[in-house]
Amino acid sequence: VKIPGVVFVRRPKVVLLPTRKGELQVFCIPYLPRRSLVSVDEERGLDEDRIQRLMVENVQELVEDLLRQSARSDAPTILAAHIWVQGAEFSGSERILTSSAEPVVPPSVLRRPQFAYIALGHIHRHQAIDGFSLPMVYAGSLGRLDFGEEKQPKGFVIIDLKKTTRGRWEAEWQFVQTPTRPFVTFRIDVRNSTNPTQTAIESLNSNPQIDGAVVRVHILVNEAQRDQINLGKLREILEKRADFIAAIE
């Protein structure tokens, strides 16, 4: 697939991107599963901790290999890595991530004086890895994937690269929040109602957050009301307003 202005990278490599103000050098590290770093023979007889250390060592060697391939020492240089950095906080939608399947890389493995900025992907929560003068930033996912991301802002990062008087490139960055499909958890307490279905309907009708959202509804009932709730009628109302109904329970 060829898209103007878009470069697809499937293997670690250094890419020179032309811009209106000169070339940008991007060190690219796509996702690195366990088997791309450690073979079956290499890990035979090793425990998981040693295998994890071996994967991290191989990532470090990979970064050093890319630095040796660097084509331009004077061009502004960033690292773009689809990788799990130690200390990153999860959204909750990355349940399948496990340290046995991929490396968990200390920030020091990626930090290099040649880089003005480290753009990170893989973790869905937008965040900066704190404690370093070199920005290491997860832009996060553009859209919400599940209710673990219900309260999280979504957007993208703009990076401004400037050359200092000392001749080094430095980055200033800002997170730009964008509108995205909301996830809404709606809780309705009908335990004191003599007509729980009608009370739930009135609560739904009075909530504008439902419109266009992915919705889950939690209804609090007492034991005697369980058979009095008409879930079909509630679903019918939600289907006219919500983008998707995750659950009514």
Side-chain angles (χ1 to χ4, degrees):
V1 178
K2 291 187 177 181
I3 302 174
V6 177
V7 177
F8 291 93
V9 177
R10 293 180 173 84
R11 293 180 297 276
K13 64 185 293 187
V14 180
V15 175
L16 284 174
L17 296 179
T19 77
R20 285 177 291 181
K21 294 189 176 181
E23 288 184 317
L24 172 65
Q25 187 171 230
V26 184
F27 285 61
C28 303
I29 301 180
Y31 176 65
L32 299 171
R34 173 171 173 159
R35 205 49 77 217
S36 71
L37 295 166
V38 182
S39 69
V40 174
D41 289 338
E42 288 173 324
E43 69 179 32
R44 188 171 286 117
L46 303 179
D47 61 23
E48 287 298 326
D49 287 343
R50 182 66 189 96
I51 293 171
Q52 178 60 221
R53 291 198 300 273
L54 184 57
M55 285 193 287
V56 170
E57 289 167 7
N58 287 340
V59 172
Q60 184 165 357
E61 179 59 32
L62 174 60
V63 173
E64 292 168 358
D65 282 344
L66 291 175
L67 287 169
R68 287 190 285 269
Q69 298 173 27
S70 177
R72 292 278 307 276
S73 60
D74 58 332
T77 302
I78 68 172
L79 170 65
H82 187 142
I83 203 163
W84 180 354
V85 173
Q86 203 173 75
E89 295 184 21
F90 294 97
S91 287
S93 54
E94 311 95 336
R95 295 186 200 87
I96 62 170
L97 296 187
T98 167
S99 59
S100 66
E102 60 187 289
V104 183
V105 178
S108 59
V109 169
L110 304 180
R111 283 201 327 270
R112 293 291 190 277
Q114 293 92 334
F115 301 144
Y117 182 87
I118 297 178
L120 298 171
H122 197 28
I123 309 301
H124 298 163
R125 180 191 292 269
H126 163 62
Q127 60 195 292
I129 305 298
D130 294 329
F132 306 99
S133 57
L134 171 61
M136 305 178 68
V137 182
Y138 281 100
S141 56
L142 280 172
R144 297 180 179 90
L145 299 182
D146 70 9
F147 285 92
E149 302 178 22
E150 182 175 355
K151 304 296 184 182
Q152 294 172 18
K154 296 295 178 181
F156 58 91
V157 174
I158 293 178
I159 309 157
D160 188 13
L161 295 167
K162 296 180 179 179
K163 203 168 192 177
T164 68
T165 55
R166 295 171 296 167
R168 294 189 59 182
W169 289 95
E170 292 184 350
E172 295 179 357
W173 65 275
Q174 62 172 319
F175 178 72
V176 180
Q177 189 168 341
T178 55
T180 186
R181 185 176 62 167
F183 277 59
V184 176
T185 300
F186 193 32
R187 293 176 174 83
I188 306 173
D189 190 343
V190 299
R191 288 175 292 185
N192 295 322
S193 173
T194 56
N195 189 339
T197 296
Q198 185 58 35
T199 299
I201 290 172
E202 291 171 359
S203 295
L204 292 176
N205 287 338
S206 65
N207 191 329
Q209 291 181 309
I210 291 172
D211 296 324
V214 176
V215 178
R216 63 178 176 181
V217 180
H218 294 165
I219 304 174
L220 300 178
V221 299
N222 56 45
E223 192 63 34
Q225 293 172 316
R226 285 184 177 275
D227 296 329
Q228 298 175 23
I229 293 287
N230 188 334
L231 296 180
K233 184 171 286 189
L234 299 183
R235 178 171 289 276
E236 182 180 329
I237 291 171
L238 286 171
E239 284 175 347
K240 295 176 181 178
R241 296 177 56 193
D243 184 63
F244 182 78
I245 304 168
I248 305 175
E249 53 193 22

